[in-house]
Amino acid sequence: MSVSPSPSAVAADAPVAAPTQADLLDFVRRTAADTELISSLPLDPEGRTWVRLEGPGGSEAWLIGWPPGTGTGWHDHADSVGAFQTARGTLKEYSLAARLPADGWKTLELADDVDRVRSLTAGHGRAFGRHHVHEVLNESPAEHAVSVHAYYPPLPGMRRYSRTGRVLRLEQVERPEDWQ
Ligand SMILES: [Fe+2]
């Protein structure tokens, strides 16, 4: 005797749509509002702390603590889209409103009008598309910041840059195996 699949079994086998920027932003908003989770992150005055979270639809998510004066340096997230939200304190994001050439360059002179800056206080966040180039900092002299981040697909790599005035230099391409 054959058994036909129940409707729920069919639904379970259906492909799951990849999470969008809006889905990731919704996730980081809801997670940053979870005060119990936010309070559970160990904070270290000497350096950033992080805890891996389960993001929606197989995305990579992190809870990150930023002591005063810490930051990421300039980087991008390759082909991943993402979102982040400040849960405590204030984060400053410096970003480039420019699409960089994918490969084959070492230094690049930026145009005069590509710099963007935003201050994300607790309860504020943003989503970003592929190849978004930014630097995130806690510029507060005294207050710790905590934020929630999500990326999809899970980060295949990050390109790290240094910057001198208008000149951006590709310093390093990090792969997940470098982070183990
Ligand atoms: Fe980033």
Side-chain angles (χ1 to χ4, degrees), residues 48 50 71-78 100 105-106 133-136 151 155 157-163 168-175 178-179:
R48 287 193 288 157
W50 49 85
T72 58
W74 286 94
H75 65 276
D76 69 15
H77 322 86
L100 304 184
W105 62 277
K106 181 74 181 170
V133 181
H134 71 173
E135 170 175 49
V136 180
Y151 312 92
L155 292 176
M158 289 206 317
R159 296 191 293 185
R160 294 201 163 273
Y161 306 98
S162 63
R163 183 164 173 188
L168 193 68
R169 173 186 287 271
L170 177 63
E171 296 289 352
Q172 200 180 356
V173 180
E174 291 181 357
R175 299 287 166 207
D178 300 329
W179 308 332

PDB file of all heavy atoms in Angstrom, residues 48 50 71-78 100 105-106 133-136 151 155 157-163 168-175 178-179:
ATOM      1  N   ARG A  48      36.633  43.609  21.453  1.00  0.00           N
ATOM      2  CA  ARG A  48      35.294  43.198  21.061  1.00  0.00           C
ATOM      3  C   ARG A  48      35.012  41.771  21.511  1.00  0.00           C
ATOM      4  O   ARG A  48      35.905  40.943  21.596  1.00  0.00           O
ATOM      5  CB  ARG A  48      35.134  43.308  19.533  1.00  0.00           C
ATOM      6  CG  ARG A  48      35.029  44.745  19.063  1.00  0.00           C
ATOM      7  CD  ARG A  48      34.563  44.815  17.620  1.00  0.00           C
ATOM      8  NE  ARG A  48      35.602  44.384  16.709  1.00  0.00           N
ATOM      9  CZ  ARG A  48      35.365  43.921  15.475  1.00  0.00           C
ATOM     10  NH1 ARG A  48      34.134  43.807  15.035  1.00  0.00           N
ATOM     11  NH2 ARG A  48      36.357  43.574  14.695  1.00  0.00           N
ATOM     12  N   TRP A  50      31.992  38.488  20.941  1.00  0.00           N
ATOM     13  CA  TRP A  50      30.923  38.099  20.014  1.00  0.00           C
ATOM     14  C   TRP A  50      30.390  36.725  20.339  1.00  0.00           C
ATOM     15  O   TRP A  50      31.084  35.890  20.906  1.00  0.00           O
ATOM     16  CB  TRP A  50      31.393  38.155  18.560  1.00  0.00           C
ATOM     17  CG  TRP A  50      32.692  37.468  18.308  1.00  0.00           C
ATOM     18  CD1 TRP A  50      32.893  36.161  18.050  1.00  0.00           C
ATOM     19  CD2 TRP A  50      33.986  38.088  18.297  1.00  0.00           C
ATOM     20  NE1 TRP A  50      34.223  35.919  17.877  1.00  0.00           N
ATOM     21  CE2 TRP A  50      34.913  37.077  18.015  1.00  0.00           C
ATOM     22  CE3 TRP A  50      34.439  39.399  18.485  1.00  0.00           C
ATOM     23  CZ2 TRP A  50      36.294  37.326  17.931  1.00  0.00           C
ATOM     24  CZ3 TRP A  50      35.796  39.652  18.397  1.00  0.00           C
ATOM     25  CH2 TRP A  50      36.708  38.625  18.117  1.00  0.00           C
ATOM     26  N   GLY A  71      36.735  49.310  16.534  1.00  0.00           N
ATOM     27  CA  GLY A  71      36.088  49.350  15.222  1.00  0.00           C
ATOM     28  C   GLY A  71      36.576  48.227  14.346  1.00  0.00           C
ATOM     29  O   GLY A  71      37.444  47.447  14.735  1.00  0.00           O
ATOM     30  N   THR A  72      36.035  48.163  13.145  1.00  0.00           N
ATOM     31  CA  THR A  72      36.318  47.043  12.258  1.00  0.00           C
ATOM     32  C   THR A  72      37.436  47.319  11.267  1.00  0.00           C
ATOM     33  O   THR A  72      38.020  46.382  10.729  1.00  0.00           O
ATOM     34  CB  THR A  72      35.070  46.702  11.414  1.00  0.00           C
ATOM     35  OG1 THR A  72      34.704  47.874  10.669  1.00  0.00           O
ATOM     36  CG2 THR A  72      33.921  46.271  12.293  1.00  0.00           C
ATOM     37  N   GLY A  73      37.715  48.573  10.957  1.00  0.00           N
ATOM     38  CA  GLY A  73      38.514  48.865   9.769  1.00  0.00           C
ATOM     39  C   GLY A  73      37.635  48.715   8.533  1.00  0.00           C
ATOM     40  O   GLY A  73      36.543  48.133   8.594  1.00  0.00           O
ATOM     41  N   TRP A  74      38.131  49.244   7.400  1.00  0.00           N
ATOM     42  CA  TRP A  74      37.350  49.182   6.158  1.00  0.00           C
ATOM     43  C   TRP A  74      37.316  47.752   5.628  1.00  0.00           C
ATOM     44  O   TRP A  74      38.341  47.080   5.586  1.00  0.00           O
ATOM     45  CB  TRP A  74      37.968  50.099   5.102  1.00  0.00           C
ATOM     46  CG  TRP A  74      37.722  51.547   5.358  1.00  0.00           C
ATOM     47  CD1 TRP A  74      38.537  52.419   6.013  1.00  0.00           C
ATOM     48  CD2 TRP A  74      36.561  52.293   4.959  1.00  0.00           C
ATOM     49  NE1 TRP A  74      37.954  53.668   6.060  1.00  0.00           N
ATOM     50  CE2 TRP A  74      36.745  53.613   5.418  1.00  0.00           C
ATOM     51  CE3 TRP A  74      35.382  51.964   4.267  1.00  0.00           C
ATOM     52  CZ2 TRP A  74      35.799  54.613   5.204  1.00  0.00           C
ATOM     53  CZ3 TRP A  74      34.446  52.960   4.061  1.00  0.00           C
ATOM     54  CH2 TRP A  74      34.654  54.261   4.517  1.00  0.00           C
ATOM     55  N   HIS A  75      36.135  47.292   5.236  1.00  0.00           N
ATOM     56  CA  HIS A  75      35.994  45.937   4.693  1.00  0.00           C
ATOM     57  C   HIS A  75      34.713  45.850   3.879  1.00  0.00           C
ATOM     58  O   HIS A  75      33.858  46.742   3.942  1.00  0.00           O
ATOM     59  CB  HIS A  75      35.955  44.908   5.832  1.00  0.00           C
ATOM     60  CG  HIS A  75      34.749  45.050   6.709  1.00  0.00           C
ATOM     61  ND1 HIS A  75      34.689  45.949   7.748  1.00  0.00           N
ATOM     62  CD2 HIS A  75      33.538  44.436   6.693  1.00  0.00           C
ATOM     63  CE1 HIS A  75      33.508  45.868   8.337  1.00  0.00           C
ATOM     64  NE2 HIS A  75      32.779  44.958   7.712  1.00  0.00           N
ATOM     65  N   ASP A  76      34.575  44.774   3.134  1.00  0.00           N
ATOM     66  CA  ASP A  76      33.270  44.463   2.538  1.00  0.00           C
ATOM     67  C   ASP A  76      32.932  43.005   2.854  1.00  0.00           C
ATOM     68  O   ASP A  76      33.675  42.341   3.574  1.00  0.00           O
ATOM     69  CB  ASP A  76      33.236  44.766   1.034  1.00  0.00           C
ATOM     70  CG  ASP A  76      34.103  43.824   0.218  1.00  0.00           C
ATOM     71  OD1 ASP A  76      34.515  42.764   0.729  1.00  0.00           O
ATOM     72  OD2 ASP A  76      34.378  44.158  -0.956  1.00  0.00           O
ATOM     73  N   HIS A  77      31.810  42.545   2.353  1.00  0.00           N
ATOM     74  CA  HIS A  77      31.329  41.197   2.677  1.00  0.00           C
ATOM     75  C   HIS A  77      31.130  40.395   1.413  1.00  0.00           C
ATOM     76  O   HIS A  77      30.206  39.585   1.309  1.00  0.00           O
ATOM     77  CB  HIS A  77      30.014  41.273   3.464  1.00  0.00           C
ATOM     78  CG  HIS A  77      29.989  42.402   4.438  1.00  0.00           C
ATOM     79  ND1 HIS A  77      29.612  43.668   4.081  1.00  0.00           N
ATOM     80  CD2 HIS A  77      30.372  42.484   5.731  1.00  0.00           C
ATOM     81  CE1 HIS A  77      29.744  44.484   5.116  1.00  0.00           C
ATOM     82  NE2 HIS A  77      30.201  43.799   6.130  1.00  0.00           N
ATOM     83  N   ALA A  78      31.983  40.701   0.409  1.00  0.00           N
ATOM     84  CA  ALA A  78      31.931  39.980  -0.873  1.00  0.00           C
ATOM     85  C   ALA A  78      30.500  39.936  -1.399  1.00  0.00           C
ATOM     86  O   ALA A  78      29.848  40.972  -1.502  1.00  0.00           O
ATOM     87  CB  ALA A  78      32.546  38.598  -0.711  1.00  0.00           C
ATOM     88  N   LEU A 100      32.779  49.123  -6.200  1.00  0.00           N
ATOM     89  CA  LEU A 100      34.185  48.940  -6.527  1.00  0.00           C
ATOM     90  C   LEU A 100      34.335  47.847  -7.582  1.00  0.00           C
ATOM     91  O   LEU A 100      33.550  46.900  -7.607  1.00  0.00           O
ATOM     92  CB  LEU A 100      34.971  48.528  -5.282  1.00  0.00           C
ATOM     93  CG  LEU A 100      34.872  49.450  -4.072  1.00  0.00           C
ATOM     94  CD1 LEU A 100      35.788  48.950  -2.962  1.00  0.00           C
ATOM     95  CD2 LEU A 100      35.221  50.885  -4.433  1.00  0.00           C
ATOM     96  N   TRP A 105      42.587  44.921  -8.960  1.00  0.00           N
ATOM     97  CA  TRP A 105      43.140  46.214  -8.580  1.00  0.00           C
ATOM     98  C   TRP A 105      43.713  46.117  -7.169  1.00  0.00           C
ATOM     99  O   TRP A 105      43.323  45.272  -6.387  1.00  0.00           O
ATOM    100  CB  TRP A 105      42.084  47.317  -8.643  1.00  0.00           C
ATOM    101  CG  TRP A 105      40.938  47.092  -7.699  1.00  0.00           C
ATOM    102  CD1 TRP A 105      39.842  46.307  -7.901  1.00  0.00           C
ATOM    103  CD2 TRP A 105      40.808  47.630  -6.384  1.00  0.00           C
ATOM    104  NE1 TRP A 105      39.036  46.329  -6.795  1.00  0.00           N
ATOM    105  CE2 TRP A 105      39.598  47.138  -5.848  1.00  0.00           C
ATOM    106  CE3 TRP A 105      41.579  48.500  -5.594  1.00  0.00           C
ATOM    107  CZ2 TRP A 105      39.146  47.471  -4.578  1.00  0.00           C
ATOM    108  CZ3 TRP A 105      41.129  48.835  -4.325  1.00  0.00           C
ATOM    109  CH2 TRP A 105      39.924  48.307  -3.829  1.00  0.00           C
ATOM    110  N   LYS A 106      44.664  47.007  -6.896  1.00  0.00           N
ATOM    111  CA  LYS A 106      45.313  47.016  -5.583  1.00  0.00           C
ATOM    112  C   LYS A 106      45.041  48.345  -4.871  1.00  0.00           C
ATOM    113  O   LYS A 106      44.794  48.371  -3.675  1.00  0.00           O
ATOM    114  CB  LYS A 106      46.821  46.800  -5.776  1.00  0.00           C
ATOM    115  CG  LYS A 106      47.618  46.756  -4.502  1.00  0.00           C
ATOM    116  CD  LYS A 106      47.411  45.458  -3.731  1.00  0.00           C
ATOM    117  CE  LYS A 106      48.238  45.478  -2.437  1.00  0.00           C
ATOM    118  NZ  LYS A 106      47.912  44.376  -1.542  1.00  0.00           N
ATOM    119  N   VAL A 133      30.833  48.537   1.098  1.00  0.00           N
ATOM    120  CA  VAL A 133      32.132  48.779   1.734  1.00  0.00           C
ATOM    121  C   VAL A 133      31.914  49.720   2.903  1.00  0.00           C
ATOM    122  O   VAL A 133      31.348  50.809   2.726  1.00  0.00           O
ATOM    123  CB  VAL A 133      33.129  49.410   0.743  1.00  0.00           C
ATOM    124  CG1 VAL A 133      34.477  49.628   1.419  1.00  0.00           C
ATOM    125  CG2 VAL A 133      33.285  48.534  -0.486  1.00  0.00           C
ATOM    126  N   HIS A 134      32.345  49.298   4.086  1.00  0.00           N
ATOM    127  CA  HIS A 134      32.133  50.167   5.243  1.00  0.00           C
ATOM    128  C   HIS A 134      33.140  49.903   6.353  1.00  0.00           C
ATOM    129  O   HIS A 134      33.949  48.968   6.308  1.00  0.00           O
ATOM    130  CB  HIS A 134      30.690  50.056   5.757  1.00  0.00           C
ATOM    131  CG  HIS A 134      30.333  48.761   6.430  1.00  0.00           C
ATOM    132  ND1 HIS A 134      29.136  48.565   7.064  1.00  0.00           N
ATOM    133  CD2 HIS A 134      31.024  47.597   6.585  1.00  0.00           C
ATOM    134  CE1 HIS A 134      29.089  47.343   7.560  1.00  0.00           C
ATOM    135  NE2 HIS A 134      30.213  46.738   7.298  1.00  0.00           N
ATOM    136  N   GLU A 135      33.045  50.790   7.340  1.00  0.00           N
ATOM    137  CA  GLU A 135      33.835  50.682   8.563  1.00  0.00           C
ATOM    138  C   GLU A 135      32.862  51.024   9.683  1.00  0.00           C
ATOM    139  O   GLU A 135      32.141  52.014   9.603  1.00  0.00           O
ATOM    140  CB  GLU A 135      34.974  51.695   8.507  1.00  0.00           C
ATOM    141  CG  GLU A 135      35.726  51.844   9.795  1.00  0.00           C
ATOM    142  CD  GLU A 135      36.930  52.772   9.661  1.00  0.00           C
ATOM    143  OE1 GLU A 135      36.785  53.873   9.119  1.00  0.00           O
ATOM    144  OE2 GLU A 135      38.002  52.381  10.117  1.00  0.00           O
ATOM    145  N   VAL A 136      32.840  50.205  10.722  1.00  0.00           N
ATOM    146  CA  VAL A 136      31.910  50.430  11.828  1.00  0.00           C
ATOM    147  C   VAL A 136      32.722  50.639  13.102  1.00  0.00           C
ATOM    148  O   VAL A 136      33.662  49.875  13.378  1.00  0.00           O
ATOM    149  CB  VAL A 136      30.938  49.237  11.991  1.00  0.00           C
ATOM    150  CG1 VAL A 136      29.972  49.477  13.137  1.00  0.00           C
ATOM    151  CG2 VAL A 136      30.167  49.000  10.689  1.00  0.00           C
ATOM    152  N   TYR A 151      24.050  38.068   7.912  1.00  0.00           N
ATOM    153  CA  TYR A 151      24.556  38.052   6.536  1.00  0.00           C
ATOM    154  C   TYR A 151      24.012  36.826   5.802  1.00  0.00           C
ATOM    155  O   TYR A 151      23.953  35.737   6.365  1.00  0.00           O
ATOM    156  CB  TYR A 151      26.093  37.950   6.504  1.00  0.00           C
ATOM    157  CG  TYR A 151      26.801  38.911   7.412  1.00  0.00           C
ATOM    158  CD1 TYR A 151      27.135  38.537   8.707  1.00  0.00           C
ATOM    159  CD2 TYR A 151      27.115  40.194   6.984  1.00  0.00           C
ATOM    160  CE1 TYR A 151      27.788  39.413   9.557  1.00  0.00           C
ATOM    161  CE2 TYR A 151      27.760  41.083   7.822  1.00  0.00           C
ATOM    162  CZ  TYR A 151      28.095  40.687   9.114  1.00  0.00           C
ATOM    163  OH  TYR A 151      28.727  41.556   9.949  1.00  0.00           O
ATOM    164  N   LEU A 155      29.033  34.416   5.280  1.00  0.00           N
ATOM    165  CA  LEU A 155      30.170  35.123   4.670  1.00  0.00           C
ATOM    166  C   LEU A 155      31.159  34.181   3.979  1.00  0.00           C
ATOM    167  O   LEU A 155      31.807  33.367   4.622  1.00  0.00           O
ATOM    168  CB  LEU A 155      30.906  35.923   5.744  1.00  0.00           C
ATOM    169  CG  LEU A 155      30.124  37.094   6.324  1.00  0.00           C
ATOM    170  CD1 LEU A 155      30.916  37.756   7.457  1.00  0.00           C
ATOM    171  CD2 LEU A 155      29.771  38.107   5.254  1.00  0.00           C
ATOM    172  N   GLY A 157      33.726  35.314   2.458  1.00  0.00           N
ATOM    173  CA  GLY A 157      35.021  35.969   2.582  1.00  0.00           C
ATOM    174  C   GLY A 157      34.806  37.444   2.845  1.00  0.00           C
ATOM    175  O   GLY A 157      33.683  37.941   2.720  1.00  0.00           O
ATOM    176  N   MET A 158      35.865  38.110   3.261  1.00  0.00           N
ATOM    177  CA  MET A 158      35.794  39.554   3.470  1.00  0.00           C
ATOM    178  C   MET A 158      37.053  40.155   2.882  1.00  0.00           C
ATOM    179  O   MET A 158      38.140  39.623   3.061  1.00  0.00           O
ATOM    180  CB  MET A 158      35.736  39.896   4.959  1.00  0.00           C
ATOM    181  CG  MET A 158      34.430  39.533   5.621  1.00  0.00           C
ATOM    182  SD  MET A 158      34.064  40.533   7.071  1.00  0.00           S
ATOM    183  CE  MET A 158      35.591  40.616   7.908  1.00  0.00           C
ATOM    184  N   ARG A 159      36.883  41.259   2.183  1.00  0.00           N
ATOM    185  CA  ARG A 159      38.061  41.964   1.688  1.00  0.00           C
ATOM    186  C   ARG A 159      38.343  43.115   2.641  1.00  0.00           C
ATOM    187  O   ARG A 159      37.443  43.889   2.967  1.00  0.00           O
ATOM    188  CB  ARG A 159      37.804  42.487   0.269  1.00  0.00           C
ATOM    189  CG  ARG A 159      37.579  41.345  -0.710  1.00  0.00           C
ATOM    190  CD  ARG A 159      37.588  41.807  -2.143  1.00  0.00           C
ATOM    191  NE  ARG A 159      36.446  42.675  -2.448  1.00  0.00           N
ATOM    192  CZ  ARG A 159      36.178  43.144  -3.667  1.00  0.00           C
ATOM    193  NH1 ARG A 159      36.985  42.864  -4.672  1.00  0.00           N
ATOM    194  NH2 ARG A 159      35.123  43.900  -3.878  1.00  0.00           N
ATOM    195  N   ARG A 160      39.594  43.200   3.096  1.00  0.00           N
ATOM    196  CA  ARG A 160      39.971  44.267   4.031  1.00  0.00           C
ATOM    197  C   ARG A 160      40.782  45.329   3.305  1.00  0.00           C
ATOM    198  O   ARG A 160      41.638  45.015   2.487  1.00  0.00           O
ATOM    199  CB  ARG A 160      40.787  43.699   5.187  1.00  0.00           C
ATOM    200  CG  ARG A 160      39.978  42.773   6.065  1.00  0.00           C
ATOM    201  CD  ARG A 160      40.572  42.614   7.461  1.00  0.00           C
ATOM    202  NE  ARG A 160      39.566  42.053   8.353  1.00  0.00           N
ATOM    203  CZ  ARG A 160      38.677  42.783   9.025  1.00  0.00           C
ATOM    204  NH1 ARG A 160      38.700  44.105   8.944  1.00  0.00           N
ATOM    205  NH2 ARG A 160      37.783  42.197   9.793  1.00  0.00           N
ATOM    206  N   TYR A 161      40.499  46.583   3.650  1.00  0.00           N
ATOM    207  CA  TYR A 161      41.131  47.713   2.981  1.00  0.00           C
ATOM    208  C   TYR A 161      41.792  48.632   3.999  1.00  0.00           C
ATOM    209  O   TYR A 161      41.366  48.716   5.149  1.00  0.00           O
ATOM    210  CB  TYR A 161      40.076  48.546   2.240  1.00  0.00           C
ATOM    211  CG  TYR A 161      39.223  47.757   1.289  1.00  0.00           C
ATOM    212  CD1 TYR A 161      37.956  47.303   1.663  1.00  0.00           C
ATOM    213  CD2 TYR A 161      39.677  47.450   0.008  1.00  0.00           C
ATOM    214  CE1 TYR A 161      37.164  46.573   0.785  1.00  0.00           C
ATOM    215  CE2 TYR A 161      38.886  46.721  -0.880  1.00  0.00           C
ATOM    216  CZ  TYR A 161      37.632  46.292  -0.480  1.00  0.00           C
ATOM    217  OH  TYR A 161      36.860  45.573  -1.340  1.00  0.00           O
ATOM    218  N   SER A 162      42.810  49.357   3.535  1.00  0.00           N
ATOM    219  CA  SER A 162      43.290  50.495   4.307  1.00  0.00           C
ATOM    220  C   SER A 162      42.960  51.741   3.488  1.00  0.00           C
ATOM    221  O   SER A 162      42.728  51.658   2.274  1.00  0.00           O
ATOM    222  CB  SER A 162      44.795  50.403   4.555  1.00  0.00           C
ATOM    223  OG  SER A 162      45.496  50.446   3.327  1.00  0.00           O
ATOM    224  N   ARG A 163      42.939  52.855   4.158  1.00  0.00           N
ATOM    225  CA  ARG A 163      42.547  54.071   3.457  1.00  0.00           C
ATOM    226  C   ARG A 163      43.429  55.223   3.884  1.00  0.00           C
ATOM    227  O   ARG A 163      43.633  55.450   5.083  1.00  0.00           O
ATOM    228  CB  ARG A 163      41.093  54.388   3.767  1.00  0.00           C
ATOM    229  CG  ARG A 163      40.652  55.594   2.999  1.00  0.00           C
ATOM    230  CD  ARG A 163      39.166  55.731   2.951  1.00  0.00           C
ATOM    231  NE  ARG A 163      38.872  57.015   2.328  1.00  0.00           N
ATOM    232  CZ  ARG A 163      37.696  57.552   2.237  1.00  0.00           C
ATOM    233  NH1 ARG A 163      36.665  56.916   2.732  1.00  0.00           N
ATOM    234  NH2 ARG A 163      37.529  58.724   1.663  1.00  0.00           N
ATOM    235  N   LEU A 168      42.129  54.115  -1.531  1.00  0.00           N
ATOM    236  CA  LEU A 168      41.736  52.870  -0.871  1.00  0.00           C
ATOM    237  C   LEU A 168      42.667  51.783  -1.382  1.00  0.00           C
ATOM    238  O   LEU A 168      42.911  51.658  -2.588  1.00  0.00           O
ATOM    239  CB  LEU A 168      40.287  52.543  -1.264  1.00  0.00           C
ATOM    240  CG  LEU A 168      39.562  51.471  -0.470  1.00  0.00           C
ATOM    241  CD1 LEU A 168      39.296  51.949   0.960  1.00  0.00           C
ATOM    242  CD2 LEU A 168      38.228  51.143  -1.152  1.00  0.00           C
ATOM    243  N   ARG A 169      43.202  50.997  -0.449  1.00  0.00           N
ATOM    244  CA  ARG A 169      44.135  49.937  -0.841  1.00  0.00           C
ATOM    245  C   ARG A 169      43.610  48.600  -0.336  1.00  0.00           C
ATOM    246  O   ARG A 169      43.262  48.457   0.845  1.00  0.00           O
ATOM    247  CB  ARG A 169      45.508  50.214  -0.234  1.00  0.00           C
ATOM    248  CG  ARG A 169      46.517  49.068  -0.435  1.00  0.00           C
ATOM    249  CD  ARG A 169      47.809  49.349   0.317  1.00  0.00           C
ATOM    250  NE  ARG A 169      48.580  50.391  -0.332  1.00  0.00           N
ATOM    251  CZ  ARG A 169      49.494  50.176  -1.282  1.00  0.00           C
ATOM    252  NH1 ARG A 169      49.776  48.949  -1.645  1.00  0.00           N
ATOM    253  NH2 ARG A 169      50.130  51.162  -1.839  1.00  0.00           N
ATOM    254  N   LEU A 170      43.569  47.610  -1.226  1.00  0.00           N
ATOM    255  CA  LEU A 170      43.161  46.258  -0.833  1.00  0.00           C
ATOM    256  C   LEU A 170      44.316  45.625  -0.071  1.00  0.00           C
ATOM    257  O   LEU A 170      45.417  45.493  -0.597  1.00  0.00           O
ATOM    258  CB  LEU A 170      42.820  45.429  -2.077  1.00  0.00           C
ATOM    259  CG  LEU A 170      42.449  43.969  -1.838  1.00  0.00           C
ATOM    260  CD1 LEU A 170      41.183  43.852  -1.007  1.00  0.00           C
ATOM    261  CD2 LEU A 170      42.283  43.232  -3.161  1.00  0.00           C
ATOM    262  N   GLU A 171      44.076  45.250   1.185  1.00  0.00           N
ATOM    263  CA  GLU A 171      45.157  44.712   2.020  1.00  0.00           C
ATOM    264  C   GLU A 171      45.121  43.200   2.126  1.00  0.00           C
ATOM    265  O   GLU A 171      46.160  42.555   2.215  1.00  0.00           O
ATOM    266  CB  GLU A 171      45.078  45.304   3.430  1.00  0.00           C
ATOM    267  CG  GLU A 171      45.305  46.809   3.497  1.00  0.00           C
ATOM    268  CD  GLU A 171      46.755  47.201   3.232  1.00  0.00           C
ATOM    269  OE1 GLU A 171      47.623  46.314   3.148  1.00  0.00           O
ATOM    270  OE2 GLU A 171      47.004  48.421   3.082  1.00  0.00           O
ATOM    271  N   GLN A 172      43.922  42.646   2.161  1.00  0.00           N
ATOM    272  CA  GLN A 172      43.825  41.230   2.510  1.00  0.00           C
ATOM    273  C   GLN A 172      42.469  40.678   2.107  1.00  0.00           C
ATOM    274  O   GLN A 172      41.458  41.375   2.223  1.00  0.00           O
ATOM    275  CB  GLN A 172      43.968  41.105   4.027  1.00  0.00           C
ATOM    276  CG  GLN A 172      44.358  39.740   4.509  1.00  0.00           C
ATOM    277  CD  GLN A 172      44.479  39.711   6.030  1.00  0.00           C
ATOM    278  OE1 GLN A 172      44.350  40.733   6.708  1.00  0.00           O
ATOM    279  NE2 GLN A 172      44.695  38.538   6.555  1.00  0.00           N
ATOM    280  N   VAL A 173      42.465  39.458   1.604  1.00  0.00           N
ATOM    281  CA  VAL A 173      41.203  38.769   1.380  1.00  0.00           C
ATOM    282  C   VAL A 173      41.138  37.641   2.400  1.00  0.00           C
ATOM    283  O   VAL A 173      41.959  36.729   2.378  1.00  0.00           O
ATOM    284  CB  VAL A 173      41.100  38.212  -0.049  1.00  0.00           C
ATOM    285  CG1 VAL A 173      39.776  37.493  -0.247  1.00  0.00           C
ATOM    286  CG2 VAL A 173      41.266  39.337  -1.072  1.00  0.00           C
ATOM    287  N   GLU A 174      40.179  37.762   3.319  1.00  0.00           N
ATOM    288  CA  GLU A 174      40.048  36.743   4.371  1.00  0.00           C
ATOM    289  C   GLU A 174      39.035  35.699   3.949  1.00  0.00           C
ATOM    290  O   GLU A 174      37.997  36.021   3.393  1.00  0.00           O
ATOM    291  CB  GLU A 174      39.572  37.390   5.674  1.00  0.00           C
ATOM    292  CG  GLU A 174      40.586  38.286   6.309  1.00  0.00           C
ATOM    293  CD  GLU A 174      40.066  38.877   7.619  1.00  0.00           C
ATOM    294  OE1 GLU A 174      38.914  38.622   7.992  1.00  0.00           O
ATOM    295  OE2 GLU A 174      40.839  39.613   8.242  1.00  0.00           O
ATOM    296  N   ARG A 175      39.359  34.456   4.244  1.00  0.00           N
ATOM    297  CA  ARG A 175      38.440  33.342   4.004  1.00  0.00           C
ATOM    298  C   ARG A 175      37.989  32.789   5.347  1.00  0.00           C
ATOM    299  O   ARG A 175      38.691  32.952   6.343  1.00  0.00           O
ATOM    300  CB  ARG A 175      39.155  32.237   3.205  1.00  0.00           C
ATOM    301  CG  ARG A 175      39.633  32.688   1.852  1.00  0.00           C
ATOM    302  CD  ARG A 175      38.467  32.864   0.888  1.00  0.00           C
ATOM    303  NE  ARG A 175      38.833  33.603  -0.304  1.00  0.00           N
ATOM    304  CZ  ARG A 175      37.981  34.323  -1.033  1.00  0.00           C
ATOM    305  NH1 ARG A 175      36.722  34.407  -0.647  1.00  0.00           N
ATOM    306  NH2 ARG A 175      38.366  34.950  -2.111  1.00  0.00           N
ATOM    307  N   ASP A 178      40.380  31.334   7.748  1.00  0.00           N
ATOM    308  CA  ASP A 178      41.274  32.211   8.506  1.00  0.00           C
ATOM    309  C   ASP A 178      40.682  32.586   9.857  1.00  0.00           C
ATOM    310  O   ASP A 178      41.381  33.100  10.721  1.00  0.00           O
ATOM    311  CB  ASP A 178      41.541  33.511   7.731  1.00  0.00           C
ATOM    312  CG  ASP A 178      42.190  33.257   6.377  1.00  0.00           C
ATOM    313  OD1 ASP A 178      42.928  32.276   6.266  1.00  0.00           O
ATOM    314  OD2 ASP A 178      41.931  34.038   5.446  1.00  0.00           O
ATOM    315  N   TRP A 179      39.370  32.408  10.012  1.00  0.00           N
ATOM    316  CA  TRP A 179      38.700  32.865  11.221  1.00  0.00           C
ATOM    317  C   TRP A 179      38.587  31.771  12.271  1.00  0.00           C
ATOM    318  O   TRP A 179      38.128  32.012  13.365  1.00  0.00           O
ATOM    319  CB  TRP A 179      37.275  33.374  10.896  1.00  0.00           C
ATOM    320  CG  TRP A 179      37.257  34.391   9.804  1.00  0.00           C
ATOM    321  CD1 TRP A 179      38.263  35.263   9.474  1.00  0.00           C
ATOM    322  CD2 TRP A 179      36.193  34.645   8.876  1.00  0.00           C
ATOM    323  NE1 TRP A 179      37.877  36.027   8.410  1.00  0.00           N
ATOM    324  CE2 TRP A 179      36.626  35.672   8.017  1.00  0.00           C
ATOM    325  CE3 TRP A 179      34.901  34.104   8.705  1.00  0.00           C
ATOM    326  CZ2 TRP A 179      35.828  36.176   6.985  1.00  0.00           C
ATOM    327  CZ3 TRP A 179      34.129  34.597   7.688  1.00  0.00           C
ATOM    328  CH2 TRP A 179      34.580  35.624   6.839  1.00  0.00           C
TER     329      TRP A 179
END
